Amino acid sequence: MDAATRYRLDNVGTFYAAQAGSPVQTVFRFSAAMADAVDAAALQAALDDTVALFPSFNVCLRSGLFWHYLEPAAKAPRVQPEVLPICFGLHTGHRSTLFRVSWYEQRINLEVSHMISDGRGSLEFFCTLVGFYAQHRYGTPYEGALGQAAAEARSQQAEDSFSRHYDRRSAAATRSTRAWRLPGLRDQARPTFMEYHLPAGRVHQWARSMGVSVTSLIIAAVICAVRAEMPARDRNRPIRLDVPVDLRQFFDSSTMRNFFGLAFVSYTPDPHDEPLDAVAAQVQQQILAGCTADAMKGRMNRMVALEKNPVLRMAPLFVKDLALAVGARIAARDVTTTVSSLGRVELPASAAPFVRSVSVLTSTTGLNFVACTFGDDLSLGISTVFRNLAVVRNLCRIFAGQGIEGRININQDARQVSHRLHEMRLADTLHQMSTVRKGRGGHAHLR
């Protein structure tokens, strides 16, 4: 294929491409629960229309001597019944298209590799897909961007906005904090995925009563849920969260590729476990300070500076992949968990009446949360490899304690759920035994 049809991965895509040969790949999953059973033919027609509008998604990963790169796929993929595990790896060979569309009963799923897009870009693709599906399924005209506006969007969607806005003079120094990390057994081969659905209006009202944003409230609730699992000996270490932030709001960019930065929230537990509203106020203060254009630009430029390092650029591809893998392991040590918020999902008006709820999940090697709101449904997608679900249970209790009752969808059958509940009860018993032993002056060795 002509080299003109190929293009380099963006800064973040380069990082995730280092996972290409690994069974653990970073994948987003967007789901829409429809009012009726999904029509496969209508979904395929919708996918064809969406790919025509956003061809930069229809690509495969290829590898050269020095860099991975993306190449257009020969044709658009076919929609398929959902048979694979959630967020299953997309790159299985040089002909693998880096996104997947599936359905199950009344649910439409889009899974996208982080190599080609971030949460915001993938959400735009997803909303367009659902809009076209409603057109083919129900005969409602699609009301998205078409014509000249769509042509202009296509010319900008593959832009590497990291490189375009890079300024090495404003690269900020990296920070390193020895954060507290969640203990416990992990099952990397079989992660647990949950959708925690809450009434959005009630959650918004609670956040307003505290004078904070919904995102700050959710982050504070996660912090308190994690704090409840920290032993006394570790309470001098901070709980540290990564919070992805869309950079398009700070720069002139309409790219569909990766273009986000990270804000950091750090909280060291108070000896007396200060209340949620006090934690939320601290989170809000850190979010406001960390999500300014100057702060985000400094961190972004630091990320790009590493990629543009002349020594690294001259290294062969396998050395780059190894260096990035080591860097990922080091970075993971400084993070307790990650909370992302995509805000309110705005589907085309012609499609919205046929959609009951929208949810987002992401693959994980630890514990991740992704929030989004559609109508009066706030969905918190939870992904975890930890066998013990105590943090999730604590989080649900926080909202239930305010009279905000939710419902949970989980990727396990009744037998598996019963087994996990038994494991949690056993873990609680061991935790209580540990507390008693420490109270008597002994040294607990239970993890």
Side-chain angles (χ1 to χ4, degrees), residues 393-429:
R393 179 190 58 192
N394 296 340
L395 181 67
C396 295
R397 286 176 172 173
I398 288 171
F399 286 97
Q402 290 293 314
I404 304 176
E405 297 293 342
R407 59 183 175 85
I408 288 185
N409 297 332
I410 186 170
N411 67 323
Q412 295 177 351
D413 58 29
R415 181 187 60 81
Q416 291 171 316
V417 171
S418 177
H419 180 65
R420 295 298 287 277
L421 290 174
H422 176 74
E423 288 183 335
M424 290 174 66
R425 286 192 291 270
L426 177 60
D428 285 343
T429 300

Side-chain angles (χ1 to χ4, degrees), residues 47-67:
L47 176 57
D48 293 339
D49 289 343
T50 306
V51 167
L53 202 59
F54 300 115
S56 65
F57 272 67
N58 193 36
V59 293
C60 306
L61 181 71
R62 305 299 295 270
S63 300
L65 180 60
F66 294 99
W67 297 100

Side-chain angles (χ1 to χ4, degrees), residues 276-295:
L276 178 67
D277 56 352
V279 178
Q282 293 183 48
V283 170
Q284 178 92 343
Q285 184 179 21
Q286 291 186 49
I287 290 291
L288 291 176
C291 291
T292 64
D294 288 341

Side-chain angles (χ1 to χ4, degrees), residues 266-281:
S266 184
Y267 174 82
T268 302
D270 181 271
H272 306 292
D273 281 357
E274 58 187 339
L276 178 67
D277 56 352
V279 178

